[in-house]
Amino acid sequence: MNALKETNFTLPGQTKFYRGKVRDVYTVDNNLLVMIASDRISAFDVVLPEGIPGKGQVLNQVANKFLDMTSDIVPNWKISTPDPMVTIGHMADPFKVEMVIRGFLTGHAWRTYKSGERVLCGVAIPEGMKEHDAFPEPIITPSTKADQGDHDEDISREEILKQGIVSEEDYVQLEKYTRALFARGQEYANERGLILVDTKYEFGKTEDGTIVLIDEIHTPDSSRYFYLEGYEENQKNGVQQKQLSKEFVRQWLIENGFQGKEGQQVPEMTEEYITSVSDRYVELYEQITGEPFKRHDSSDLEKRIEENVVRELEKLRK
């Protein structure tokens, strides 16, 4: 199994190129985006040295499923998916914040709470909570959308409005969309024997002023899932929840002395470890979609992707 670490295409009508932590994004004719979900994996805002075979396909196909499932809640950027690892969509001017919503005291929220803090992004968190406990109701804890190479930072609603990062009218709408998308995602996850614990959404604005959902949604990179069965019993007995998300990669890094801080070295990613991460991504895909994961031919990923994208662009640019 081969992993796609990066692409270096020159597409018809290409006007810009941007390489994010995971995605390679090509702008075509200044109105279309070609987003390629690579097999790169990042944690603590650092791209790890090895790719994870199948990961890009999992992310792209899960995101596409949920973009289609939630288009009645909020319009989104997607036009088509010409390849298992590619989505083509409309350009939008992205808001400079990520809308993070949390239903449980887990991950970053738990690490903050454990340190003694009881306020996260301006939101008060009750005393006496344990790791993975559910909040009385989901909380929104936004983060700034950092430029390439920088770290995303927690920010409060008040600070976003004070700095004029987002207008109050738009921010109120972003909150409404965020809560509605999360409720839909939780409902769907429960039907599949999962709990959608937390996630993040990114939004943009089209030329006509319409707010649209962009990037990915409810993937294991942007979201955290628990298994529903056994959750209550595990909480009662102080047993760790089994997670279907990237959190297990973060935990592995922490245990091996890496949290993205200066001077720290990424631990060696053995072939065995890479395979185990790939298997976890496939497990989430099959659990959340209820469908078997079909690995597509990876013998020459770049050639396959380029041919599929060029073919689709020929149709869209006519």
Side-chain angles (χ1 to χ4, degrees), residues 41-57:
I41 186 167
S42 72
F44 301 113
D45 291 324
V46 173
V47 178
L48 304 187
E50 302 298 334
I52 306 299
K55 174 181 177 286
Q57 184 185 333

Side-chain angles (χ1 to χ4, degrees), residues 25-197:
V25 184
Y26 296 82
T27 305
V28 173
D29 296 332
N30 288 321
N31 63 8
L32 295 175
L33 288 183
V34 177
M35 193 174 286
I36 299 169
S38 77
D39 292 323
R40 296 190 296 272
I41 186 167
S42 72
F44 301 113
D45 291 324
V46 173
V47 178
L48 304 187
E50 302 298 334
I52 306 299
K55 174 181 177 286
Q57 184 185 333
V58 167
L59 294 191
N60 195 60
Q61 291 185 335
V62 170
N64 271 283
K65 182 179 182 71
F66 283 109
L67 286 171
D68 292 343
M69 272 182 48
T70 57
S71 60
D72 61 317
I73 295 173
V74 54
N76 62 63
W77 71 289
K78 174 189 163 185
I79 297 172
S80 63
T81 52
D83 184 273
M85 299 174 76
V86 180
T87 299
I88 297 179
H90 300 286
M91 274 192 69
D93 186 22
F95 288 100
K96 300 292 186 187
V97 293
E98 293 183 345
M99 299 299 287
V100 181
I101 183 165
R102 305 175 185 276
F104 296 75
L105 184 61
T106 298
H108 171 61
W110 167 247
R111 289 190 284 273
T112 302
Y113 192 85
K114 193 179 176 184
S115 74
E117 295 288 331
R118 292 296 179 268
V119 175
L120 180 61
C121 301
V123 181
I125 303 176
E127 289 286 353
M129 293 186 71
K130 304 193 305 293
E131 184 178 16
H132 307 318
D133 277 353
F135 292 118
E137 62 179 48
I139 63 172
I140 293 177
T141 59
S143 68
T144 57
K145 183 64 179 161
D147 293 328
Q148 191 171 12
D150 294 332
H151 290 272
D152 297 342
E153 300 286 348
D154 290 343
I155 190 168
S156 67
R157 180 188 201 274
E158 291 71 26
E159 198 60 31
I160 289 169
L161 299 182
K162 181 182 171 184
Q163 293 184 28
I165 299 171
V166 181
S167 73
E168 185 166 9
E169 181 184 2
D170 284 346
Y171 193 79
V172 168
Q173 187 61 64
L174 295 186
E175 285 190 323
K176 285 180 181 174
Y177 282 149
T178 296
R179 293 193 184 280
L181 290 167
F182 191 58
R184 175 73 58 83
Q186 285 193 310
E187 180 184 3
Y188 181 84
N190 287 171
E191 291 170 0
R192 301 274 174 306
L194 296 173
I195 297 171
L196 177 58
V197 176

Side-chain angles (χ1 to χ4, degrees), residues 264-305:
Q264 293 182 339
Q265 292 292 316
V266 177
E268 181 191 2
M269 297 174 71
T270 65
E271 195 171 324
E272 182 183 14
Y273 180 71
I274 291 167
T275 299
S276 73
V277 177
S278 180
D279 289 345
R280 289 289 286 273
Y281 273 90
V282 170
E283 183 183 357
L284 182 128
Y285 175 88
E286 295 185 336
Q287 190 72 29
I288 196 64
T289 65
E291 302 163 3
F293 182 70
K294 297 174 184 173
R295 287 187 187 272
H296 286 254
D297 179 21
S298 65
S299 55
D300 194 342
L301 283 168
E302 285 195 70
K303 182 182 178 186
R304 184 198 82 197
I305 290 168

Side-chain angles (χ1 to χ4, degrees), residues 234-266:
N234 288 342
Q235 281 304 97
K236 191 167 63 177
N237 297 326
V239 175
Q240 276 294 319
Q241 301 293 338
K242 184 177 180 186
Q243 299 198 28
L244 278 173
S245 70
K246 204 169 60 172
E247 182 65 19
F248 73 95
V249 176
R250 295 188 195 98
Q251 289 301 327
W252 175 77
L253 289 168
I254 291 170
E255 288 162 12
N256 285 276
F258 183 81
Q259 293 188 60
K261 295 175 182 173
E262 198 172 337
Q264 293 182 339
Q265 292 292 316
V266 177

